[in-house]
Amino acid sequence: YLRSKNKIIMAKKNKTEDQFAQVEQALSKTEQYIEDNQKSLMIIIGAIVGIIVLFKAYQNFYIIPLEEEAQVEIYMAELYFQKDSFNLALNGDGQYAGFLDVADEYSSTNIGELAGYYSGLCYLHTGDYENAIEYLENFSSSDIILSSLALGCAGDAYMELGELENAMDSYEDAVDNSNNEFTAPRYLMKIAMIHEINGDYSDALDIYKSIKADFSSSREASGIEKYISRAENR
Protein backbone atom coordinates (compact mmCIF):
# COMPACT_ATOMS: atom_id res chain seq x y z
CA TYR A 1 0.00 0.00 0.00
CA LEU A 2 2.79 2.43 1.00
CA ARG A 3 4.68 1.60 -2.18
CA SER A 4 1.60 2.37 -4.32
CA LYS A 5 1.02 5.60 -2.43
CA ASN A 6 4.63 6.67 -2.98
CA LYS A 7 4.28 5.96 -6.71
CA ILE A 8 1.20 8.18 -6.88
CA ILE A 9 3.01 10.97 -5.01
CA MET A 10 6.01 10.69 -7.30
CA ALA A 11 3.79 10.72 -10.37
CA LYS A 12 2.05 13.86 -9.19
CA LYS A 13 5.42 15.46 -8.40
CA ASN A 14 6.77 14.62 -11.85
CA LYS A 15 3.64 16.00 -13.48
CA THR A 16 3.93 19.25 -11.52
CA GLU A 17 7.61 19.55 -12.42
CA ASP A 18 6.76 18.99 -16.10
CA GLN A 19 4.12 21.70 -15.96
CA PHE A 20 6.56 24.16 -14.37
CA ALA A 21 9.11 23.27 -17.03
CA GLN A 22 6.58 23.96 -19.79
CA VAL A 23 5.67 27.32 -18.23
CA GLU A 24 9.35 28.27 -17.93
CA GLN A 25 9.94 27.24 -21.53
CA ALA A 26 6.98 29.36 -22.71
CA LEU A 27 8.22 32.35 -20.72
CA SER A 28 11.69 31.93 -22.14
CA LYS A 29 10.31 31.89 -25.69
CA THR A 30 8.24 35.01 -24.96
CA GLU A 31 11.25 36.82 -23.52
CA GLN A 32 13.34 35.79 -26.51
CA TYR A 33 10.63 36.96 -28.93
CA ILE A 34 10.41 40.35 -27.19
CA GLU A 35 14.18 40.69 -27.24
CA ASP A 36 14.39 39.76 -30.93
CA ASN A 37 11.51 42.05 -31.95
CA GLN A 38 11.99 44.89 -29.49
CA LYS A 39 12.30 47.55 -32.16
CA SER A 40 9.17 46.43 -34.04
CA LEU A 41 7.18 46.15 -30.84
CA MET A 42 8.20 49.65 -29.76
CA ILE A 43 7.09 51.01 -33.14
CA ILE A 44 3.71 49.26 -32.80
CA ILE A 45 3.21 50.52 -29.23
CA GLY A 46 4.20 54.02 -30.30
CA ALA A 47 1.73 53.89 -33.18
CA ILE A 48 -1.09 52.80 -30.86
CA VAL A 49 -0.30 55.58 -28.39
CA GLY A 50 -0.14 58.06 -31.26
CA ILE A 51 -3.56 56.97 -32.57
CA ILE A 52 -5.07 57.37 -29.09
CA VAL A 53 -3.56 60.85 -28.71
CA LEU A 54 -4.78 61.91 -32.17
CA PHE A 55 -8.29 60.57 -31.47
CA LYS A 56 -8.52 62.49 -28.18
CA ALA A 57 -7.26 65.64 -29.88
CA TYR A 58 -9.80 65.16 -32.70
CA GLN A 59 -12.60 64.80 -30.14
CA ASN A 60 -11.54 67.69 -27.92
CA PHE A 61 -10.46 70.24 -30.52
CA TYR A 62 -12.74 69.41 -33.46
CA ILE A 63 -15.82 67.34 -32.63
CA ILE A 64 -16.80 68.98 -29.31
CA PRO A 65 -16.57 72.58 -30.68
CA LEU A 66 -18.41 71.41 -33.81
CA GLU A 67 -21.20 69.90 -31.65
CA GLU A 68 -21.55 73.20 -29.80
CA GLU A 69 -21.69 75.12 -33.08
CA ALA A 70 -24.30 72.71 -34.48
CA GLN A 71 -26.40 73.11 -31.33
CA VAL A 72 -26.59 76.86 -31.97
CA GLU A 73 -27.40 76.37 -35.66
CA ILE A 74 -30.28 73.95 -35.05
CA TYR A 75 -32.02 76.11 -32.45
CA MET A 76 -34.35 78.08 -34.76
CA ALA A 77 -35.24 75.01 -36.80
CA GLU A 78 -36.37 73.28 -33.60
CA LEU A 79 -38.52 76.30 -32.69
CA TYR A 80 -40.16 76.24 -36.13
CA PHE A 81 -40.76 72.50 -35.76
CA GLN A 82 -42.46 73.01 -32.39
CA LYS A 83 -44.77 75.55 -34.06
CA ASP A 84 -45.59 73.06 -36.86
CA SER A 85 -43.87 75.32 -39.41
CA PHE A 86 -42.35 72.31 -41.10
CA ASN A 87 -41.17 73.95 -44.32
CA LEU A 88 -39.30 76.65 -42.39
CA ALA A 89 -37.91 74.04 -40.00
CA LEU A 90 -36.72 71.96 -42.94
CA ASN A 91 -35.32 74.63 -45.24
CA GLY A 92 -34.63 77.58 -42.94
CA ASP A 93 -35.95 81.12 -43.29
CA GLY A 94 -33.09 82.73 -45.17
CA GLN A 95 -31.48 83.97 -41.99
CA TYR A 96 -31.36 80.82 -39.88
CA ALA A 97 -30.45 77.33 -41.04
CA GLY A 98 -33.01 74.56 -41.45
CA PHE A 99 -32.62 70.92 -40.54
CA LEU A 100 -31.39 70.01 -44.03
CA ASP A 101 -28.45 72.42 -43.83
CA VAL A 102 -27.52 71.34 -40.31
CA ALA A 103 -27.72 67.66 -41.27
CA ASP A 104 -25.44 68.29 -44.25
CA GLU A 105 -22.89 70.63 -42.66
CA TYR A 106 -22.60 68.80 -39.33
CA SER A 107 -23.05 65.21 -40.47
CA SER A 108 -20.15 64.02 -38.29
CA THR A 109 -21.87 65.20 -35.10
CA ASN A 110 -24.74 63.89 -32.99
CA ILE A 111 -26.63 67.12 -33.65
CA GLY A 112 -26.20 66.55 -37.37
CA GLU A 113 -27.69 63.07 -36.99
CA LEU A 114 -30.60 64.52 -35.02
CA ALA A 115 -31.18 67.12 -37.74
CA GLY A 116 -31.47 64.25 -40.22
CA TYR A 117 -34.14 62.64 -38.05
CA TYR A 118 -36.08 65.91 -37.84
CA SER A 119 -35.73 66.32 -41.60
CA GLY A 120 -37.45 62.98 -42.04
CA LEU A 121 -40.27 64.05 -39.73
CA CYS A 122 -40.72 67.33 -41.60
CA TYR A 123 -40.94 65.48 -44.91
CA LEU A 124 -43.46 63.10 -43.35
CA HIS A 125 -45.63 65.98 -42.15
CA THR A 126 -45.49 67.74 -45.54
CA GLY A 127 -46.37 64.62 -47.51
CA ASP A 128 -42.99 63.99 -49.13
CA TYR A 129 -42.94 60.35 -48.10
CA GLU A 130 -40.05 59.17 -50.26
CA ASN A 131 -37.67 61.70 -48.71
CA ALA A 132 -39.12 60.99 -45.27
CA ILE A 133 -38.21 57.32 -45.65
CA GLU A 134 -34.70 58.13 -46.87
CA TYR A 135 -33.87 60.36 -43.90
CA LEU A 136 -35.61 58.25 -41.27
CA GLU A 137 -34.02 54.99 -42.39
CA ASN A 138 -30.58 56.58 -42.52
CA PHE A 139 -30.90 57.88 -38.96
CA SER A 140 -28.86 56.12 -36.28
CA SER A 141 -28.70 56.82 -32.58
CA SER A 142 -27.79 55.14 -29.32
CA ASP A 143 -31.06 56.56 -27.95
CA ILE A 144 -33.42 53.58 -28.07
CA ILE A 145 -36.60 55.68 -28.10
CA LEU A 146 -35.46 57.97 -30.92
CA SER A 147 -34.12 55.15 -33.07
CA SER A 148 -37.39 53.21 -32.58
CA LEU A 149 -39.50 56.25 -33.44
CA ALA A 150 -37.47 56.78 -36.62
CA LEU A 151 -38.17 53.20 -37.72
CA GLY A 152 -41.84 53.52 -36.83
CA CYS A 153 -42.22 56.84 -38.66
CA ALA A 154 -40.64 55.27 -41.73
CA GLY A 155 -43.41 52.69 -41.43
CA ASP A 156 -45.98 55.50 -41.37
CA ALA A 157 -44.50 56.89 -44.59
CA TYR A 158 -44.72 53.47 -46.25
CA MET A 159 -48.35 53.24 -45.12
CA GLU A 160 -49.10 56.58 -46.78
CA LEU A 161 -47.58 55.20 -49.98
CA GLY A 162 -49.74 52.08 -49.71
CA GLU A 163 -46.70 49.81 -49.27
CA LEU A 164 -48.12 47.63 -46.51
CA GLU A 165 -45.39 44.99 -46.57
CA ASN A 166 -42.62 47.57 -46.17
CA ALA A 167 -44.63 49.32 -43.47
CA MET A 168 -45.00 46.02 -41.61
CA ASP A 169 -41.23 45.44 -41.80
CA SER A 170 -40.51 48.92 -40.41
CA TYR A 171 -42.99 48.53 -37.56
CA GLU A 172 -41.55 45.11 -36.68
CA ASP A 173 -38.04 46.60 -36.69
CA ALA A 174 -39.26 49.35 -34.36
CA VAL A 175 -40.72 46.79 -31.94
CA ASP A 176 -37.59 44.62 -32.06
CA ASN A 177 -35.41 47.67 -31.46
CA SER A 178 -37.06 48.61 -28.17
CA ASN A 179 -39.22 46.46 -25.92
CA ASN A 180 -40.71 49.24 -23.79
CA GLU A 181 -44.13 50.56 -22.74
CA PHE A 182 -43.95 53.57 -25.06
CA THR A 183 -42.85 52.50 -28.54
CA ALA A 184 -43.44 48.72 -28.58
CA PRO A 185 -47.26 48.73 -28.03
CA ARG A 186 -47.60 51.75 -30.31
CA TYR A 187 -46.15 49.89 -33.27
CA LEU A 188 -47.63 46.54 -32.32
CA MET A 189 -51.03 48.21 -32.74
CA LYS A 190 -50.06 49.35 -36.22
CA ILE A 191 -48.87 45.84 -37.13
CA ALA A 192 -52.21 44.47 -35.92
CA MET A 193 -54.05 47.04 -38.04
CA ILE A 194 -52.18 45.87 -41.14
CA HIS A 195 -53.16 42.28 -40.31
CA GLU A 196 -56.80 43.40 -40.14
CA ILE A 197 -56.49 45.22 -43.48
CA ASN A 198 -55.15 41.96 -44.94
CA GLY A 199 -57.97 39.98 -43.32
CA ASP A 200 -55.63 38.18 -40.91
CA TYR A 201 -57.84 38.66 -37.86
CA SER A 202 -56.33 35.76 -35.92
CA ASP A 203 -52.86 37.34 -36.11
CA ALA A 204 -54.29 40.71 -35.15
CA LEU A 205 -56.07 39.13 -32.17
CA ASP A 206 -52.83 37.55 -30.94
CA ILE A 207 -51.12 40.94 -30.99
CA TYR A 208 -53.97 42.68 -29.17
CA LYS A 209 -53.87 40.02 -26.48
CA SER A 210 -50.08 40.37 -26.16
CA ILE A 211 -50.45 44.14 -25.68
CA LYS A 212 -52.97 43.47 -22.91
CA ALA A 213 -50.70 40.90 -21.22
CA ASP A 214 -47.23 42.36 -21.77
CA PHE A 215 -47.84 46.13 -21.82
CA SER A 216 -50.75 46.47 -19.42
CA SER A 217 -49.74 49.96 -18.24
CA SER A 218 -49.40 51.42 -21.74
CA ARG A 219 -51.84 53.87 -23.31
CA GLU A 220 -52.72 51.30 -25.96
CA ALA A 221 -53.67 48.68 -23.37
CA SER A 222 -56.24 50.98 -21.76
CA GLY A 223 -58.61 50.57 -24.71
CA ILE A 224 -57.48 47.21 -26.04
CA GLU A 225 -60.64 45.27 -25.12
CA LYS A 226 -62.65 46.78 -27.99
CA TYR A 227 -59.99 45.69 -30.47
CA ILE A 228 -59.90 42.20 -28.99
CA SER A 229 -63.68 41.97 -29.20
CA ARG A 230 -63.71 43.23 -32.80
CA ALA A 231 -61.07 40.75 -33.92
CA GLU A 232 -62.80 37.85 -32.13
CA ASN A 233 -66.11 38.67 -33.86
CA ARG A 234 -64.52 38.69 -37.30
Side-chain angles (χ1 to χ4, degrees):
Y1 169 76
L2 289 174
R3 188 175 298 172
S4 298
K5 189 174 180 181
N6 287 334
K7 286 183 178 180
I8 294 171
I9 292 170
M10 288 300 296
K12 287 183 178 179
K13 183 180 178 182
N14 290 335
K15 185 177 180 181
T16 302
E17 289 176 351
D18 288 342
Q19 289 174 339
F20 275 122
Q22 290 173 3
V23 171
E24 287 178 0
Q25 186 177 9
L27 289 172
S28 296
K29 287 182 179 179
T30 303
E31 290 171 355
Q32 187 62 48
Y33 176 82
I34 292 172
E35 187 177 331
D36 292 342
N37 298 275
Q38 188 173 14
K39 186 176 180 180
S40 298
L41 290 171
M42 290 301 293
I43 292 172
I44 293 170
I45 293 169
I48 293 171
V49 171
I51 290 170
I52 293 171
V53 169
L54 285 173
F55 177 76
K56 287 186 181 258
Y58 173 75
Q59 288 289 321
N60 292 331
F61 298 110
Y62 180 72
I63 291 296
I64 291 176
L66 202 62
E67 287 279 4
E68 293 171 352
E69 185 180 321
Q71 185 68 67
V72 173
E73 289 294 318
I74 203 174
Y75 177 71
M76 282 303 299
E78 289 178 324
L79 285 183
Y80 282 129
F81 185 86
Q82 290 169 13
K83 296 177 181 178
D84 294 341
S85 300
F86 299 116
N87 280 313
L88 288 173
L90 186 64
N91 299 298
D93 59 7
Q95 182 178 1
Y96 296 100
F99 289 128
L100 288 177
D101 288 332
V102 176
D104 181 53
E105 292 178 23
Y106 302 95
S107 59
S108 60
T109 68
N110 292 327
I111 298 297
E113 277 285 343
L114 186 63
Y117 167 71
Y118 275 120
S119 296
L121 293 184
C122 288
Y123 279 127
L124 182 61
H125 283 295
T126 55
D128 190 342
Y129 303 118
E130 297 287 355
N131 273 320
I133 291 166
E134 179 182 348
Y135 276 88
L136 290 167
E137 288 188 338
N138 285 333
F139 175 70
S140 63
S141 173
S142 58
D143 187 307
I144 296 299
I145 299 296
L146 275 183
S147 56
S148 299
L149 288 173
L151 291 167
C153 288
D156 293 342
Y158 280 121
M159 283 293 288
E160 294 292 343
L161 292 170
E163 300 180 21
L164 299 187
E165 187 174 341
N166 287 330
M168 175 86 81
D169 289 341
S170 294
Y171 292 144
E172 287 176 346
D173 287 341
V175 173
D176 291 340
N177 190 61
S178 178
N179 188 25
N180 62 72
E181 293 280 335
F182 176 59
T183 56
R186 177 176 183 168
Y187 295 119
L188 281 170
M189 284 293 295
K190 296 194 177 192
I191 292 170
M193 292 296 182
I194 294 176
H195 282 310
E196 289 205 39
I197 291 171
N198 292 332
D200 301 325
Y201 298 106
S202 177
D203 290 336
L205 179 60
D206 289 341
I207 291 174
Y208 294 141
K209 287 182 176 179
S210 74
I211 291 172
K212 179 181 178 181
D214 301 330
F215 303 99
S216 58
S217 62
S218 67
R219 181 177 62 84
E220 288 74 17
S222 63
I224 203 67
E225 289 294 345
K226 66 181 179 182
Y227 294 98
I228 291 175
S229 177
R230 184 178 70 188
E232 284 177 337
N233 292 327
R234 299 295 286 270

